[in-house]
Amino acid sequence: MAQVIPSSEISKHVDEEVTLQGWLYNRRGSKKLHFLEVRDGFGIIQCVMSKNAVDEATFAAAGELAQETSLHITGTVTAHPKKEGVYELKATGLEVVGVPTDPYPITPKEHGVEFLMDHRHLWLRSKRQHAVLRVRHAVVRAVREYFDEHDFTLIDAPIFTPNAVEGTSTLFETEYHGQSAYLTQSGQLYMEAGAAAFGKVYCFGPTFRAEKSKTRRHLQEFWMVEPEVAFMDLDGVMDLAEDFVCYVVARVLETRRADLEILERDISALEAVQKPFPRIHYTDAVAQIQKARPEDSEAPPLEWGSDFGGEDETLLSQGYDRPVMVHRYPAAVKAFYMKRDPGDDRLALGVDMLAPEGYGEIIGGGQRESDLEVLDAAIAHHGLPPEAFGWYRDLRRFGTFPHGGFGMGIERMVAWLCKLPHVRETIPFPRMLNRLSP
RNA sequence: UCCGGCUUAGCUCAGUCGGUAGAGCAAGUGGCUGUUAACCACUGGGUCGCUGGUUCGAGUCCAGCAGCCGGAGCCA
């Protein structure tokens, strides 16, 4: 073996003899020439083995390699004769590490969704999945960078929670030493406590929703980042969300352009994501959607006071090349903790950010109710158990303060950035309505 | 929970009017010195999702069930 290098650094070793360690991705060849595509986790390199460059046994062994055989391959780095900027390895040695016991199930041809999901642990090795998950990593890193660089303190929210806050139908219940507990649906209430202690906080972790949803936008387990800021009003929340999304998109474009190209993503659509984003009042949004609805639409008529469906969100965002923010929804369709609009009691100071290209809601947030009496009335109005909110009410009892924040779903963000048809490919091991494994 | 669609070889699919099972890929064998979802030839491979019904005869028609996919509601 020569010096082992990752395939991502091959351009720095032209004319040197190096070793790659990885797995056979694909093989083509003839009696006297083998083309071995070797995948090492960092990329894929074509290794060319001529019959006259190696001994007979090595050449024969290379011709029998099965897909996903693990191996060390040694050779001289050269420029690809036909492709500019692409390097390949003129193989001089091959060492097989692990021979597959059975044919690899994922072939270079097409497969169906169910088959691929059953083999998700192997599917991760494929080129496109590799690209998607590297974009996901870049999003996660950008999220942390943004908040860390803007004086936010990371406050981890608990995953076990004691009480049902937004109705038990969408909660996963579990046993907790003799009492029932639920997996968290949101860290927000805890972030409000954090904001009172640290001013600017965020949490980032898995979130669980037992929704009977099987659409392209839903997972049972997904990751959400939730910032919360003391003394921030609705306009401040929108400023923050806009600045944050621009930063994440820019960082992904900066660091993962090659992966977006593998996914054949239209990069100019992402480059258009610049401040300011349109801010549309709910009432105006309803009018725009009503106007944009095709006459043969099968959706129920949209009236002032109702929430938007997926189709409505797509119609609304269609006219824009960047995300739009819809603010001041009817309080009746929003959570109990949202502050009422002082200018119109029917409205809540909430905001949803809708991604372009039909990806729908990627951010939901707003200003929180800070008046104890109003909050108590809202808890009662929503039929929630007051005893569950003892500590939460304390935040209003001891130095109440205006504050707000939002939650962003990582998977929907990644699906949009990669322009994927479904969020299931944006998380390594998706948990869906009918899938708990692998 | 509701609405619609799908289920045939390891995988992706075709299968006409109801007449007894097909292709490509994968696997195996052989050929080919620049291939790149390589190509060419040959070989093996089937409980047509399950149960029941109609019929001389069902992959095909009917009913029930199951699984999957998409959508609605709900949400990030």
Side-chain angles (χ1 to χ4, degrees):
Chain A
M1 289 211 311
Q3 182 196 356
V4 174
I5 63 157
S7 62
S8 49
E9 305 211 335
I10 194 164
S11 64
K12 298 175 188 166
H13 297 272
V14 178
D15 295 332
E16 292 174 29
E17 182 161 84
V18 300
T19 295
L20 295 173
Q21 46 191 14
W23 297 261
L24 187 73
Y25 194 68
N26 200 3
R27 174 169 61 82
R28 295 173 291 275
S30 63
K31 192 76 176 177
K32 297 179 179 172
L33 193 63
H34 295 310
F35 297 95
L36 309 173
E37 279 191 275
V38 174
R39 175 183 71 74
D40 73 345
F42 306 97
I44 295 172
I45 295 294
Q46 174 167 277
C47 303
V48 185
M49 185 183 283
S50 299
K51 188 169 179 137
N52 55 23
V54 294
D55 60 63
E56 214 163 286
T58 301
F59 190 81
E64 288 173 3
L65 290 175
Q67 198 183 348
E68 291 301 320
T69 301
S70 51
L71 46 81
H72 299 298
I73 189 159
T74 300
T76 307
V77 177
T78 59
H80 193 288
K82 295 177 184 172
K83 293 183 179 174
E84 188 89 16
V86 174
Y87 296 90
E88 57 182 24
L89 207 66
K90 297 282 188 203
T92 55
L94 171 70
E95 184 189 331
V96 172
V97 176
V99 176
T101 59
D102 294 285
Y104 188 65
I106 300 178
T107 68
K109 288 283 178 178
E110 288 171 21
H111 297 284
V113 169
E114 188 184 7
F115 179 82
L116 289 169
M117 291 305 309
D118 284 343
H119 295 86
R120 181 62 174 170
H121 52 297
L122 302 176
W123 192 22
L124 296 177
R125 304 180 184 191
S126 300
K127 212 179 279 185
R128 283 180 57 88
Q129 298 308 307
H130 198 259
V132 170
L133 292 176
R134 292 216 293 189
V135 170
R136 178 192 172 97
H137 177 215
V139 168
V140 169
R141 193 167 60 182
V143 163
R144 291 202 182 280
E145 277 170 7
Y146 182 87
F147 291 119
D148 294 347
E149 288 168 11
H150 286 79
D151 298 321
F152 283 72
T153 299
L154 175 70
I155 298 294
D156 297 310
I159 287 172
F160 286 121
T161 60
N163 291 102
V165 169
E166 296 184 46
T168 52
S169 63
T170 64
L171 283 164
F172 284 104
E173 187 172 3
T174 183
E175 193 257 307
Y176 192 86
H177 303 299
Q179 59 172 306
S180 54
Y182 303 91
L183 301 184
T184 182
Q185 282 185 306
S186 163
Q188 186 206 307
L189 304 190
Y190 295 97
M191 289 309 98
E192 293 185 48
F198 297 87
K200 297 164 80 174
V201 297
Y202 75 102
C203 64
F204 184 31
T207 307
F208 308 88
R209 306 256 171 112
E211 290 164 1
K212 304 283 188 210
S213 299
K214 34 180 181 177
T215 77
R216 66 185 70 220
R217 303 189 307 278
H218 287 88
L219 294 169
Q220 303 290 295
E221 177 182 316
F222 65 98
W223 284 65
M224 186 157 68
V225 58
E226 296 173 278
E228 191 76 24
V229 182
F231 305 104
M232 182 172 269
D233 62 9
L234 178 62
D235 286 336
V237 170
M238 290 197 274
D239 291 343
L240 178 66
E242 179 183 73
D243 194 56
F244 165 68
V245 167
C246 287
Y247 179 83
V248 172
V249 172
R251 286 293 284 159
V252 169
L253 283 172
E254 192 181 325
T255 61
R256 294 268 72 103
R257 188 172 285 259
D259 290 311
L260 294 173
E261 281 165 3
I262 287 171
L263 296 166
E264 299 177 76
R265 178 56 161 120
D266 175 9
I267 285 172
S268 66
L270 297 178
E271 286 171 337
V273 179
Q274 303 287 340
K275 289 192 278 186
F277 296 171
R279 300 183 184 193
I280 308 172
H281 191 286
Y282 169 81
T283 301
D284 298 331
V286 170
Q288 280 191 37
I289 293 166
Q290 284 171 338
K291 203 173 162 188
R293 277 256 183 112
E295 286 181 13
D296 58 347
S297 173
E298 290 172 14
L302 177 67
E303 290 167 2
W304 195 100
S306 56
D307 209 348
F308 304 144
E311 189 192 331
D312 298 325
E313 291 180 348
T314 302
L315 286 172
L316 185 61
S317 61
Q318 254 170 9
Y320 304 95
D321 64 348
R322 61 199 72 190
V324 299
M325 294 190 283
V326 180
H327 57 87
R328 294 181 167 80
Y329 280 83
V333 300
K334 289 293 177 184
F336 75 94
Y337 48 71
M338 284 211 183
K339 184 175 176 61
R340 293 292 175 118
D341 181 358
D344 185 342
D345 191 54
R346 301 171 302 165
L347 299 173
L349 294 177
V351 58
D352 283 354
M353 185 187 290
L354 308 180
E357 302 173 85
Y359 279 88
E361 185 180 348
I362 51 172
I363 280 179
Q367 195 174 333
R368 321 306 185 188
E369 183 53 66
S370 49
D371 184 283
L372 183 59
E373 281 185 29
V374 177
L375 183 70
D376 281 341
I379 290 170
H381 182 75
H382 281 77
L384 297 167
E387 63 276 12
F389 296 98
W391 68 263
Y392 186 67
R393 294 177 69 254
D394 277 358
L395 305 177
R396 278 73 183 170
R397 292 175 64 209
F398 302 108
T400 192
F401 59 118
H403 59 290
F406 62 81
M408 185 187 83
I410 293 297
E411 288 75 15
R412 287 189 183 177
M413 182 78 178
V414 176
W416 165 48
L417 293 178
C418 295
K419 206 169 182 181
L420 298 178
H422 199 296
V423 292
R424 64 187 158 220
E425 293 177 38
T426 65
I427 186 166
F429 295 98
R431 293 292 168 259
M432 298 185 293
L433 192 54
N434 293 314
R435 179 169 297 279
L436 187 55
S437 78

